[in-house]
Amino acid sequence: MGIIKVLKTQLLCHLIICYVFLVSGVLINLLQLCTLPLWPINKQLARKINCRLGYSISSQLVALLEWWSGTECTLYTDPESCSLYGTESAIVVLNHNFEIDFMTGWTICERFGVLGSSKVLAKKELSFVPVIGWMWYFLEIVFCNRNWEVDRKKVVESLRNLRDYPEHFWFLLHCEGTRFTEKKHKISMEVAEKKGLPKLKYHLLPRTKGFSITVQNLRGKVSAVYDSTLNFRNNETPTLLGVLNGKKYHADMYVRRIPLDLIPEEESECAAWLHKLYQEKDEFQEHYTRTGRFPGPITSPPRRPWALLNWLFWVCLLVYPLFRLLLQLVLSGSISTVICTFVFCFAVSVGIRWMIGQTEIEKGSNYGNKEVQLNNN
């Protein structure tokens, strides 16, 4: 086991993981492109195919967290509600404190069988990013710009298009708009004071417009909101690099199911409801800080093998030709060629880490930026 732990920290292993993710992702994007002629003929079939193709990309990151890193996930949730997870469409409200929030959210999606169809609110520019951005485009992810007046019409149209989606899906929202930092928290609480809102200790002020418009336009399709509060044991702050190095974390997530009928339809009332929700989330985090656990019963949904099998398939398919090519380069005797190849592979590795980091940072951030401006007016 000691040897395996050392191997997981080696650059060569990281390069192979990044190579497999990038090449398989581009191949899958090309397959998704081939589904375009099917859309006008049978849109629902095209959607189902793209769900499976998208799963083949996103599940590689889940496999990295679950199987490579060995990170464990424990849910604190009501057993009756837990029996409904994966059998209905839902809006998932996540706190945004950690670098691997999105990977943990995808892991929970995978364990309840909705990873391939999961949705997010993402920045428009991400639709042009290869692999994840292009995957999201074919999965009908809701993209938006930085101008709320321009965004509103486009976002409403995108959300309404999901009303006849053939699969159950979870719509993941980081209502804080950006990841928690002390500096951002200070600014956010200044806004809360100006607006006469209760201050939060562990969260930023939620951005209500994106949430309100999502709730309004997914009524009838979505059954509930899953209020999800994430933390990691032993006060650890997990990172993507730590996961890549095989570092094991233990995630605790408190999830409560709130029927959508209980959430007000009018925008101002919905906004007030969301602010109250975040005050409750703050109390849950305070409870975790004091006791080391969330309230309520514990369940540990088992890992499914499909993410691992999918990743192993792509490794077997792509690593052999890579090593054969590298062997030919080495045998060619050209030192400059070997050095250039190594530099290229290293650059790809850095590029993929940056791309994933940007994806996690930018999801939904435009709504956060816009509402900060509105709150300061």
Side-chain angles (χ1 to χ4, degrees):
M1 294 300 293
I3 296 177
I4 293 177
K5 289 182 67 174
V6 172
L7 283 174
K8 287 182 177 180
T9 64
Q10 301 307 302
L11 177 61
L12 178 61
C13 289
H14 299 170
L15 291 174
I16 292 173
I17 291 172
C18 294
Y19 160 78
V20 170
F21 179 76
L22 179 63
V23 176
S24 66
V26 171
L27 291 175
I28 293 167
N29 287 158
L30 292 175
L31 290 175
Q32 290 181 303
L33 186 63
C34 293
T35 67
L36 284 178
L38 184 59
W39 281 82
I41 301 171
N42 191 331
K43 183 173 75 170
Q44 300 296 51
L45 178 59
R47 283 170 153 179
K48 291 181 178 181
I49 292 172
N50 276 286
C51 281
R52 275 65 185 177
L53 293 173
Y55 175 86
S56 193
I57 293 177
S58 54
S59 65
Q60 292 186 50
L61 296 178
V62 170
L64 186 67
L65 185 68
E66 287 190 333
W67 298 94
W68 180 264
S69 165
T71 294
E72 297 180 12
C73 295
T74 299
L75 285 187
Y76 293 77
T77 190
D78 173 53
E80 185 176 344
S81 297
C82 190
S83 65
L84 297 173
Y85 300 158
T87 66
E88 62 182 1
S89 295
I91 299 169
V92 182
V93 178
L94 292 160
N95 59 316
H96 203 2
N97 295 68
F98 305 100
E99 188 175 310
I100 63 168
D101 284 339
F102 78 104
M103 294 179 73
T104 309
W106 278 2
T107 294
I108 300 301
C109 289
E110 160 61 13
R111 296 194 182 190
F112 288 100
V114 293
L115 176 61
S117 58
S118 64
K119 311 296 179 190
V120 296
L121 188 65
K123 184 179 173 182
K124 177 66 176 177
E125 285 79 357
L126 288 176
S127 64
F128 303 107
V129 176
V131 185
I132 291 181
W134 294 351
M135 171 192 75
W136 279 350
Y137 175 82
F138 286 100
L139 288 178
E140 300 172 83
I141 293 301
V142 179
F143 292 104
C144 42
N145 298 297
R146 291 192 179 275
N147 188 318
W148 172 247
E149 298 305 322
V150 174
D151 280 346
R152 189 180 187 94
K153 183 177 179 180
K154 293 181 180 179
V155 171
V156 167
E157 182 180 354
S158 297
L159 289 169
R160 289 181 176 174
N161 285 338
L162 297 177
R163 288 179 174 178
D164 64 342
Y165 206 75
E167 307 271 343
H168 294 308
F169 63 84
W170 288 3
F171 199 106
L172 279 61
L173 282 176
H174 291 297
C175 293
E176 293 163 269
T178 185
R179 195 188 311 150
F180 182 99
T181 65
E182 291 299 331
K183 181 179 179 180
K184 294 174 185 175
H185 180 254
K186 181 180 178 181
I187 295 173
S188 183
M189 292 308 98
E190 289 174 356
V191 173
E193 187 173 0
K194 291 178 181 178
K195 301 293 290 185
L197 296 169
K199 292 187 177 181
L200 303 173
K201 184 177 180 181
Y202 300 99
H203 299 85
L204 305 179
L205 203 63
R207 316 308 183 192
T208 61
K209 291 187 180 294
F211 175 79
S212 299
I213 200 171
T214 301
V215 169
Q216 288 171 4
N217 289 280
L218 290 183
R219 286 187 184 275
K221 175 63 178 178
V222 166
S223 303
V225 166
Y226 297 165
D227 173 32
S228 305
T229 306
L230 174 67
N231 218 320
F232 286 84
R233 295 187 184 178
N234 304 317
N235 293 319
E236 288 192 299
T237 304
T239 63
L240 182 59
L241 182 59
V243 171
L244 200 57
N245 283 326
K247 182 174 175 57
K248 182 176 181 178
Y249 301 103
H250 195 131
D252 286 325
M253 183 180 288
Y254 179 72
V255 182
R256 54 177 178 159
R257 181 183 182 274
I258 305 171
L260 206 66
D261 295 339
L262 300 180
I263 301 175
E265 294 191 31
E266 203 276 324
E267 187 170 322
S268 61
E269 294 180 0
C270 186
W273 182 91
L274 183 64
H275 283 298
K276 185 175 184 297
L277 181 78
Y278 267 78
Q279 294 165 33
E280 295 170 356
K281 290 172 78 71
D282 227 42
E283 293 173 3
F284 297 143
Q285 286 285 38
E286 179 65 27
H287 184 278
Y288 190 92
T289 301
R290 287 188 290 101
T291 65
R293 56 161 293 154
F294 288 114
I298 294 176
T299 182
S300 295
R303 295 182 297 182
R304 305 196 314 162
W306 312 120
L308 176 63
L309 293 175
N310 172 76
W311 185 70
L312 290 176
F313 165 77
W314 286 111
V315 169
C316 294
L317 182 68
L318 298 175
V319 170
Y320 170 72
L322 173 66
F323 278 126
R324 185 173 177 179
L325 174 62
L326 291 176
L327 181 61
Q328 290 177 347
L329 289 173
V330 171
L331 294 178
S332 70
S334 173
I335 297 177
S336 60
T337 301
V338 174
I339 293 175
C340 289
T341 302
F342 176 82
V343 171
F344 173 76
C345 292
F346 180 77
V348 168
S349 173
V350 173
I352 290 178
R353 293 184 194 180
W354 175 85
M355 179 179 67
I356 294 174
Q358 286 296 110
T359 299
E360 188 271 334
I361 289 170
E362 295 291 353
K363 287 189 296 184
S365 63
N366 39 323
Y367 281 105
N369 293 335
K370 182 63 180 178
E371 193 160 352
V372 167
Q373 294 173 11
L374 291 173
N375 285 336
N376 284 330
N377 288 336

